Each structure stands twice: as structure tokens, then as C-alpha cells.
Amino acid sequence: MEVVVGLLIPLAAVGGIGGAVALAIGHHNKTKQAWFKAAETLGFAHTPGTMTTPPSMQGSVKTIFVEVAVVAKGSGDNKTKFTSYRIHHPAVGPPMTLLRQHALSRLTRLFAGRKDLVIGDPEFDRRVVIDADDPTTISAYLTPTRRIAVVQLLESWAHASITERMIEVHRSGVARSSTEIVTNVRRLVDMALLMTVPSEVDVALEHQQAGDLSTAAQELHRINTQHQTSGDPNSFAQLLEAEAHVAAGHGAEAQTVLASIDENRVDPEIRHWQAVAEAHPQPAPPKHPLPPAWTEALPDTPDPELPAAVRGELDLDQHAVITALFESNLQGYAVEERFNERYEGHQVTWTGKVDRVRSYATDSDFGRIPGVKVNVIIGQLGDGRLVSNRIHAIVQLPEGSDIARDQTITFTGTFSRVDRYMRNLFVTTAILT
């Protein structure tokens, strides 16, 4: 009996080793097949790798040169494997390196000798380490489209760096899905293209920054339709359009755009946006009675009462709302979810200084009932010394409202939308109080 047991122990050990080897071979074969299929789909040159050497591929997509490889980071026995994507594009900006801000950023900069400039966009400055020499030049280069692309990259990838000529990102582990590799390459290439020539999309985002959200969505839709017609759609521009539709309360339109993106079934970010859009196909009705100035103008206006269970449980102070929506590390879809769950349709009373006034007969955001569209500065992020850290309420007031720029006003209305990119909060059917 002792002899049998003695034989079983080494046999079990051999069996365990054999099982581990079989598992390793299985992983290698799956990886090999995935990388071959991805390279074939993209038209890339491909090095399959062996049990001891990692795979790689390289080639061009839409004139952008791409390298995909497996790299090891760390030292000694603590090395970790990552799938690395390097997207090379023409250098169109000043020398720079953009990285994600984190708890150890200051210490890392100290030892690496890196700078951290600010450009006057508090959300961007809070999220991004800007290592560059000239703040004026880098501010001019970082147009709205480029800033949004950078924030999206750093939100989506834990390990990312962006220079004037390359996007480099890493994802933990060895990619074993061809679909994942192809999706990542195509999305990163589309972002690089907009980083290179963003002017067309910037025009649309200027409308969005001014508080004309639906106009921006329409302009982005025009751009994307042209690119789709020519057979050259840009998935990142499509995502910007979908997000603008969601922010405008047009979830059904957003679903259509998201469904048209090639990677819609596998990209995690797009799946999150699809869930938000599906749960919110159209704006919710106000949760309070509308004032006579609007009930007389709007046909068949609902007149609900705020549920007693909700009354008094939500802090709708303007500074509390700003903090909850903007001073957080929530990704874009999570900001929309928080707004939809907590704030949409509630009545707010806020105070601020008028920054812009436009009377309208019809407005893409506020509809066909004539009124006055007012941009009101209701708060700020950062230290208050920079113009672009202002938070605006885009307010719909009745036709004939007599107000002027730089006037301080208090208004009560329905909190209807949030634009997290431009940090605009929309308040409809408001009156001066």
C-alpha cells in the first residue's frame, strides 16, 4: 500500500504539470488564432509569436500607421503583460505629453522632471497632466474636439499617453479576441484622425459650448451622414453625436446613431450609452406645476405635483448640483444616469449673472413657443481666476422678459438637461423670481 501511494504522488505531480502545459498551449493557440484573424481583418502584417515570444501586428488604417504588440512592464518576477496599441499620426501640435492625473501624479512629475500646465478648463486640468513648454501654444492646440478626445481616451484606458504625434495605450493581459483588437484599433484611429484635423467637428462643438445643444447634434449628424455616404464613417464623431442627442433628451435618436457604429455590439462604452439612451427615449415631464406664463403658451401642458416622498430629500442648491454632476470622476454615461435618476424634471431656483441673451421665435432646444434664451453664470470650478471654469445655466424665459447682460437674476424653472462636456445645465419654462 505504501508503495502504491508513493507512486501516486509523483504521478499526480506529473499530471498537474501536464495539465498546466495543456492549458498554456490552449491559451497560446487561442491567442494565435485571434491575432491572425484580427490582422487579416485589418490587412496588417502579422508575427504570430511562439510559446515564448509574443505576437505583434502592424499596418495602416485610413492612412494612420498602427502597431499592436504584447509588452511586459515591471521588473524581475513582477512583470505584467499588456496588449499595447500605438497609433502614429502626423505631428500637428507643439511637443507635449498628456497623461491621466492620479493620486501620485505630483510625486511622479517631481522625479521625472515633468511639467503640468493648466489651460483654463478646470475639468480637463483636473483630469490631465499636461507636460509641455508653452501654455499659450498648447491651449490653442487643445480645441474642444481634441480635449474631448483626450478625456475620452483617459477615461477608457487606465494606461494611456498622448503626444503631438502618437496615441499609445495599454490594456492588461494578452488580447485573445480578434473582435476586441479590431474594435480598439478602429476606435483609436478615428480618435487620432479627429486629433489631427478637428476643425469640422469643432464648429459643431462651438454651438454646443454656446448652449445650442440640439443645433450641435444636428451639425454632427450632418457631418456623420456625409462621412457614411462616402464610406468613411468616424466612430468617435458618431459617439459625440449620440452623446449630444442623449444630453438633449433625445434618447431614441441616440439609439439610432449608436446602432450604426460598427463596434456597437462589443465596445463597452457604447453598450453603456445604449443602456442610457434606451432607458430615456424622450424627455421626462416636469415634476411640478408650470407657472401661468408657460401654461397659457403651451398646449395641453401636464400639471403634476412633486411626490411627497421626494419632496425635501434632494438638494437642488446650484452649488450642490454642480458638485454632484461635475466635481466627480464619473464617466459621461454615468453623469447622464445620475441626472436622469436624481434631477430631471425637478424645479430649481438659482441665481447668477447674465452672460448672453437671445430672443427667439423658435429654438432648437426650447421649441416653437417664442421666448428668451439666456446663458447665466451660476457657479465655477477651480480657483475662479479663469473664464472657462464657469458653469452656465441655459435658461428659457417667457417672451418679452426684460433682462440685460451682466445683470444678476434669480429664476425658477424645470431642470431639464445636462451637457457634461460643456458644463451647461438647461432650465426650461422658467420665470424671474
Side-chain angles (χ1 to χ4, degrees):
M1 185 67 176
E2 290 180 1
V3 173
V4 174
V5 172
L7 287 172
L8 287 176
I9 292 174
L11 286 173
V14 170
I17 293 171
V21 170
L23 184 63
I25 293 173
H27 284 319
H28 170 69
N29 289 336
K30 183 176 181 181
T31 301
K32 186 176 180 179
Q33 292 170 5
W35 284 65
F36 174 80
K37 185 177 180 181
E40 186 178 46
T41 301
L42 294 165
F44 283 6
H46 170 231
T47 302
T50 66
M51 291 290 292
T52 57
T53 60
S56 64
M57 67 180 75
Q58 53 277 322
S60 293
V61 177
K62 300 180 181 179
T63 73
I64 301 294
F65 183 68
V66 179
E67 297 174 284
V68 187
V70 175
V71 299
K73 292 183 173 290
S75 58
D77 296 331
N78 295 320
K79 287 186 177 180
T80 303
K81 289 183 178 180
F82 293 85
T83 303
S84 167
Y85 300 82
R86 303 181 77 184
I87 315 298
H88 302 264
H89 59 78
V92 294
M96 63 175 184
T97 301
L98 307 178
L99 302 167
R100 178 199 290 256
Q101 287 274 18
H102 53 76
L104 298 178
S105 291
R106 182 173 296 179
L107 188 62
T108 303
R109 291 196 304 273
L110 180 65
F111 286 104
R114 288 189 176 131
K115 302 179 180 69
D116 185 10
L117 304 182
V118 295
I119 63 169
D121 180 332
E123 182 67 7
F124 190 87
D125 293 333
R126 184 174 67 84
R127 289 176 177 264
V128 184
V129 175
I130 306 173
D131 185 5
D133 292 325
D134 183 2
T136 302
T137 305
I138 198 70
S139 295
Y141 169 76
L142 288 170
T143 63
T145 303
R146 289 185 174 119
R147 291 201 303 272
I148 289 172
V150 169
V151 170
Q152 284 272 28
L153 274 164
L154 298 182
E155 280 185 350
S156 303
W157 298 79
H159 308 276
S161 67
I162 302 154
T163 71
E164 73 280 3
R165 62 181 68 245
M166 184 172 68
I167 296 170
E168 183 172 7
V169 298
H170 306 291
R171 183 143 287 165
S172 296
V174 179
R176 294 192 172 91
S177 163
S178 61
T179 304
E180 175 189 342
I181 296 170
V182 171
T183 295
N184 288 335
V185 167
R186 287 175 173 167
R187 172 62 59 81
L188 290 166
V189 164
D190 284 344
M191 296 179 98
L193 287 169
L194 284 189
M195 291 282 287
T196 306
V197 188
S199 57
E200 191 177 32
V201 174
D202 271 330
V203 172
L205 296 182
E206 285 172 4
H207 289 295
Q208 193 167 338
Q209 196 163 27
D212 297 321
L213 185 54
S214 294
T215 299
Q218 292 165 11
E219 183 64 14
L220 287 166
H221 180 72
R222 181 192 65 78
I223 294 168
N224 288 326
T225 299
Q226 287 181 342
H227 281 284
Q228 284 181 303
T229 302
S230 65
D232 188 32
N234 186 295
S235 61
F236 183 55
Q238 291 172 304
L239 185 57
L240 289 178
E241 179 193 342
E243 291 190 38
H245 283 307
V246 171
H250 306 147
E253 288 88 338
Q255 289 181 71
T256 301
V257 176
L258 291 166
S260 71
I261 300 176
D262 286 342
E263 299 85 8
N264 75 84
R265 290 179 299 279
V266 294
D267 189 295
E269 184 179 9
I270 293 177
R271 289 204 303 270
H272 284 301
W273 278 110
Q274 285 174 322
V276 173
E278 185 177 352
H280 202 70
Q282 60 187 15
K287 293 181 171 65
H288 62 89
L290 297 180
W294 290 108
T295 55
E296 294 170 3
L298 297 171
D300 302 323
T301 303
D303 190 29
E305 288 287 349
L306 186 64
V310 177
R311 202 175 288 134
E313 293 183 4
L314 185 63
D315 189 351
L316 293 169
D317 173 79
Q318 62 203 67
H319 301 295
V321 172
I322 289 169
T323 298
L325 292 176
F326 299 134
E327 290 189 358
S328 64
N329 289 317
L330 295 176
Q331 291 190 261
Y333 62 84
V335 172
E336 290 291 341
E337 284 177 334
R338 177 170 290 186
F339 168 74
N340 293 341
E341 291 169 0
R342 293 188 187 180
Y343 298 111
E344 186 184 26
H346 285 281
Q347 188 177 78
V348 295
T349 299
W350 293 341
T351 298
K353 181 181 287 188
V354 174
D355 192 41
R356 187 181 181 195
V357 183
R358 298 101 82 196
S359 296
Y360 65 86
T362 182
D363 181 82
S364 60
D365 292 308
F366 294 147
R368 297 182 178 180
I369 304 300
V372 180
K373 191 172 191 176
V374 187
N375 294 27
V376 183
I377 303 167
I378 60 167
Q380 61 190 23
L381 296 172
D383 59 16
R385 293 176 296 178
L386 302 166
V387 172
S388 62
N389 68 0
R390 293 171 174 172
I391 308 298
H392 283 87
I394 313 301
V395 186
Q396 180 191 28
L397 289 171
E399 184 180 23
S401 297
D402 185 16
I403 54 176
R405 188 177 180 185
D406 294 329
Q407 179 182 350
T408 297
I409 63 172
T410 299
F411 53 90
T412 297
T414 302
F415 188 14
S416 61
R417 298 165 201 159
V418 60
D419 179 356
R420 66 107 176 194
Y421 276 136
M422 304 306 172
R423 298 187 296 280
N424 291 331
L425 307 174
F426 286 74
V427 179
T428 57
T429 55
I431 58 171
L432 297 175
T433 52

